Amino acid sequence: MGAVTAPPEGPTGSATRPRRRWLPWAVLGLWIAVLAIAMPFGSKLSDSTRDRAIDYLPGSADSTQVAKLVEEMPGGDSLDGILVYQRDGGVTAADRELATEHAGDIAGGYELAGDRAPQVVPSADGSTLMVPFSIVGLADEDAQLETVEKIRDETVADPPEGLSVELGGPAGIQADSDAVYEQVDGTLMYATAGIVTILLIITYRSPFLWLLPLICVGVASMSAMAVVYGLIQAFDLTVSSMSSAMMTVLIFGAGTDYALLLVARYREELRRTPVPLEAMLQAVRRCGPAILASSGTVAAGLVCLVTADLNSTAGLGPVGAVGVLCALAVMLTLLPALLVLFGRRIFWPLIPAYGSEPKRRGFFDRMGTSVGRRPGTILVGGMVLLGALALGTFNLPGNLKQEDAFIDKPESITAMEKLKEAYPEQGAQPIVVVADSDGAQEALATARNVEGIASAEVSRAGNGHTEITVFAADPPQSAGEDRAIKELRAELGALDGTDAAVGGLSAEAMDLAEANSNDRKLIIPLTLAAVLLILIVLLRSLIAPLVLTVAVVASWGAAMGIGGLVFEPVMGFAGIGGELALLTFVFGVALGVDYGIFLLHRMREEALSGADTRTAALTALRRTGGVIASAGVVLAATFAALATMPMVMMFEIGFVIAVGVLLDTFLVRTYLVTSASWLLGRRVWWPGPLAKRTETPPAQPDAEREPEPAGAAAR
């Protein structure tokens, strides 16, 4: 910063009485009113999220229809659980008496499917007892969770010495999953806010400036929660805890990115303009289109998710888009108003004085010089590196099984593992068949004769349908059970008049895998088309958008490859979530394109000001390098906060997106896009008017142009 000091400022932080001095106060008043309206509704969102299995299933799948029919039967959805008793050296007679007593308590205290009392089933090796039960008549999911908690308090909490008692089965797994999801909102919010706060303080090196973006993120978050709550009430939108968590991360990450870009441009304009309000208006005019396009690509990519067959994926689309658009609205209105009202002093101790000059040399100056000297080598080397990293995708594990979904295994999962070991001759997880009551007996007889099915019994009937509980001979989610389910569906589908459908947890897992595969084939091309269209409109070019899109797709592939080298070999994860590829692609490509937008928009601005394309490319890198680096680190860190969650799927999503963002920030946008632009020259703007002008590129890169004054990263 130069020796020139800032002129005296009035109450609005300006040297003179500026035109439209009422504008910041009006914007602030408007957002205070919005926040007052939003808070009562936004606070209700957590109570409106739904995490039932049916809310995560594909809408067209057999297992989804089974789940809906079971809910509509008398007594509603059944609560299926298994009490597991195990003692080293074998269970004793007293242990069997205790298990029989617990079975009697359940029979006497609850309405059971088929009015059948739970039976105590010993294992062949005498080490384990299991008591399967199926409770009906519970009003809703809350009643089911309360019942699970009560059974655990009465049977599991205080077992005799040496005897382990655990509750497994769908009931225990659902309860443990809900307990994890209850931690998501609060834990993730605090972790993300803490990370963003630390990074903003480091970036701005100011004791006060970091507060303004953080306050604005909070306003955007509350506004988005209120809007999503309204969508739930108006359109019965399915919003899961995972969708809510992803929205929180998006608002923090994208909102902070927009704030960093705006503040950096505002700081630049303050050096040229004596009045903060006029400097801010100029900053918004200059960087507003890039921020709008950036948010547009993310929102468009997320809206493409609405076409997904998977309910949870389809619900994430509008939820995420609402979060991004709320962050956009706040950062282009409330944040500018607050910055103007506080004036230049908010930057203390590094106040950008009017007429001062920023530091002339920096890291991104040297980077621009290296790109200008060896663009071809850098481009080829970077693409080879990304390609080599992408080979790691061949090392990705298979689909994640339910038993491997938790980072720290809860009681329900350890119970199922014990059953798998103690009862190798039969499955411990029910397969549910629902058929028309008129053809139920034929469906039952057919199910019993299917290869790989150990047993089948009618559990209850009602509303014209009959529920049949089936057990496979092989363990849950094994290749043998999968074959049995496919054969069962084929045999039942060939029957006339039964209208039988097959569901249950294992069938749901199979349907999820198929739905994810179909969704990828549809949504990935849609996302690419939407992103390309926005880039073409913004940049008035076909070549530049193609360069940028190819580069970010390559970085996504490299990030997935790094995941293949980390998930199983380092973290010990036995599988990857079925939605991992789709969600990381949509988020990774849309968010990665953001930084290319910031770079190429500034590059186009420089070209329109008269610079040749090569000079414009290096100038854009120097002037946006610091702020985009800061934004990339913040965004990557916010998604890395997902790794603090105890679910394998959330860790994997956070890891891949964070790695992809860092690759986009420090390799793709910095080196590859700039190198490609240098090599293409004016052809990068084809077929726009900039591609037709005559240029005389410099003989060597201009290393003396001033860099972007973008906080700590640029310095």
Side-chain angles (χ1 to χ4, degrees):
M1 185 163 56
V4 180
T5 58
E9 297 181 352
T12 60
S14 61
T16 61
R17 295 177 62 84
R19 295 177 293 116
R20 295 167 287 187
R21 61 184 179 274
W22 52 268
L23 184 58
W25 291 106
V27 172
L28 178 60
L30 175 63
W31 276 108
I32 290 175
V34 169
L35 190 60
I37 296 171
M39 287 183 68
F41 299 103
S43 59
K44 297 179 181 179
L45 178 60
S46 60
D47 296 329
S48 302
T49 56
R50 296 184 292 189
D51 294 304
R52 303 171 304 163
I54 196 173
D55 298 319
Y56 286 83
L57 294 175
S60 62
D62 268 11
S63 57
T64 309
Q65 305 310 311
V66 168
K68 291 178 179 178
L69 290 172
V70 167
E71 281 188 348
E72 295 169 0
M73 295 181 75
D77 192 8
S78 61
L79 181 68
D80 300 316
I82 306 175
L83 289 171
V84 181
Y85 304 76
Q86 192 171 81
R87 182 189 292 274
D88 292 339
V91 293
T92 64
D95 297 335
R96 284 190 285 271
E97 290 179 5
L98 179 64
T100 302
E101 179 184 341
H102 289 163
D105 291 341
I106 292 174
Y110 303 98
E111 180 184 352
L112 301 176
D115 294 325
R116 295 176 306 173
Q119 301 296 312
V120 178
V121 182
S123 64
D125 61 4
S127 66
T128 308
L129 303 171
M130 72 171 175
V131 179
F133 61 85
S134 182
I135 300 174
V136 296
L138 302 174
D140 51 30
E141 184 182 1
D142 291 337
Q144 292 183 353
L145 294 176
E146 290 174 5
T147 300
V148 170
E149 184 177 353
K150 183 178 179 181
I151 291 174
R152 280 178 165 167
D153 288 341
E154 294 176 352
T155 63
V156 177
D158 189 25
E161 184 178 355
L163 179 69
S164 69
V165 183
E166 296 173 326
L167 175 61
I173 293 172
Q174 183 63 42
D176 290 335
S177 297
D178 286 348
V180 168
Y181 285 127
E182 285 179 1
Q183 305 172 17
V184 167
D185 285 342
T187 303
L188 186 62
M189 176 74 76
Y190 296 136
T192 307
I195 290 170
V196 170
T197 298
I198 293 171
L199 291 175
L200 285 176
I201 292 173
I202 294 172
T203 299
Y204 289 137
R205 293 188 290 178
S206 167
F208 308 112
L209 181 56
W210 64 272
L211 278 168
L212 300 188
L214 205 60
I215 290 171
C216 291
V217 165
V219 173
S221 182
M222 183 55 68
S223 302
M225 288 191 290
V227 173
V228 171
Y229 177 77
L231 292 176
I232 293 173
Q233 301 305 311
F235 303 104
D236 195 29
L237 180 69
T238 298
V239 179
S240 65
S241 294
M242 182 176 175
S243 298
S244 178
M246 294 295 287
M247 183 182 74
T248 298
V249 172
L250 264 177
I251 292 172
F252 270 89
T256 305
D257 276 7
Y258 304 153
L260 287 166
L261 187 68
L262 178 68
V263 171
R265 195 59 184 257
Y266 176 52
R267 186 197 295 267
E268 183 179 343
E269 296 300 331
L270 282 173
R271 301 181 188 277
R272 302 169 180 167
T273 308
V275 181
L277 177 57
E278 299 304 322
M280 178 56 73
L281 292 174
Q282 186 68 7
V284 172
R285 290 190 198 102
R286 294 290 181 87
C287 69
I291 295 177
L292 285 170
S294 168
S295 61
T297 57
V298 180
L302 290 168
V303 168
C304 292
L305 293 176
V306 175
T307 61
D309 189 23
L310 205 61
N311 290 337
S312 57
T313 302
L316 175 59
V319 171
V322 165
V324 170
L325 294 178
C326 285
L328 170 71
V330 171
M331 295 306 172
L332 285 184
T333 55
L334 179 58
L335 179 61
L338 292 175
L339 287 167
V340 170
L341 290 173
F342 279 96
R344 299 175 188 269
R345 296 183 184 90
I346 194 64
F347 290 94
W348 184 87
L350 302 174
I351 300 175
Y354 173 58
S356 64
E357 292 291 334
K359 187 177 179 180
R360 295 183 61 84
R361 295 283 296 175
F363 172 75
F364 289 97
D365 279 280
R366 294 187 290 273
M367 186 175 291
T369 301
S370 66
V371 169
R373 288 173 178 169
R374 293 176 293 275
T377 302
I378 289 174
L379 180 61
V380 172
M383 294 305 295
V384 169
L385 175 61
L386 291 178
L389 291 173
L391 294 176
T393 56
F394 293 106
N395 197 49
L396 286 168
N399 285 334
L400 189 68
K401 295 182 179 180
Q402 191 176 54
E403 63 197 57
D404 301 315
F406 300 87
I407 291 179
D408 297 318
K409 292 182 180 179
E411 172 189 316
S412 58
I413 299 301
T414 58
M416 300 306 289
E417 289 178 344
K418 290 177 180 178
L419 287 176
K420 182 178 179 180
E421 183 178 351
Y423 299 85
E425 73 283 357
Q426 70 179 70
Q429 186 165 279
I431 301 167
V432 181
V433 175
V434 176
D436 285 343
S437 295
D438 292 340
Q441 290 303 316
E442 185 180 5
L444 176 63
T446 300
R448 286 173 172 169
N449 291 325
V450 170
E451 184 179 357
I453 298 299
S455 65
E457 299 290 342
V458 172
S459 52
R460 58 174 170 158
N463 286 349
H465 291 88
T466 298
E467 179 184 352
I468 302 172
T469 300
V470 179
F471 285 93
D474 292 289
Q477 291 185 263
S478 64
E481 189 194 43
D482 288 350
R483 286 193 298 270
I485 291 174
K486 291 177 182 177
E487 183 67 20
L488 182 63
R489 282 178 164 171
E491 293 291 334
L492 292 176
L495 300 178
D496 293 327
T498 62
D499 197 22
V502 180
L505 292 180
S506 295
E508 290 169 3
M510 292 174 59
D511 291 339
L512 282 170
E514 182 177 358
N516 278 316
S517 176
N518 294 334
D519 287 345
R520 285 194 297 270
K521 296 173 184 176
L522 172 65
I523 295 174
I524 286 178
L526 279 178
T527 303
L528 288 174
V531 169
L532 268 173
L533 180 61
I534 292 174
L535 291 175
I536 290 170
V537 172
L538 175 71
L539 301 173
R540 311 291 196 275
S541 165
L542 290 177
I543 301 300
L546 285 172
V547 168
L548 190 54
T549 303
V550 169
V552 294
V553 170
S555 71
W556 168 77
M560 286 289 289
I562 294 174
L565 301 176
V566 170
F567 292 154
E568 189 171 23
V570 178
M571 301 302 299
F573 297 156
I576 59 172
E579 300 169 72
L580 179 66
L582 176 59
L583 294 184
T584 55
F585 182 87
V586 172
F587 281 97
V589 169
L591 292 169
V593 164
D594 280 4
Y595 305 122
I597 288 175
F598 298 156
L599 175 73
L600 289 176
H601 182 265
R602 185 59 181 261
M603 178 177 156
R604 188 171 185 273
E605 182 182 330
E606 295 290 334
L608 289 172
S609 298
D612 64 88
T613 301
R614 290 182 172 180
T615 299
L618 300 186
T619 301
L621 175 60
R622 291 163 181 153
R623 290 183 177 271
T624 65
V627 65
I628 296 179
S630 299
V633 170
V634 169
L635 185 62
T638 55
F639 273 97
L642 288 174
T644 64
M645 298 296 99
M647 303 291 289
V648 170
M649 176 67 173
M650 298 185 78
F651 180 99
E652 292 173 342
I653 290 175
F655 180 89
V656 172
I657 295 177
V659 170
V661 167
L662 292 176
L663 287 173
D664 285 323
T665 303
F666 294 104
L667 176 61
V668 171
R669 187 265 314 167
T670 305
Y671 284 111
L672 303 191
V673 173
T674 306
S675 297
S677 300
W678 173 274
L679 291 169
L680 288 168
R682 63 177 179 169
R683 292 185 295 273
V684 76
W685 305 117
W686 185 87
L690 286 175
K692 300 179 176 65
R693 68 177 185 173
T694 302
E695 293 184 348
T696 304
Q700 59 184 11
D702 179 7
E704 299 301 322
R705 292 179 65 92
E706 64 183 31
E708 169 74 1
R715 294 185 184 91

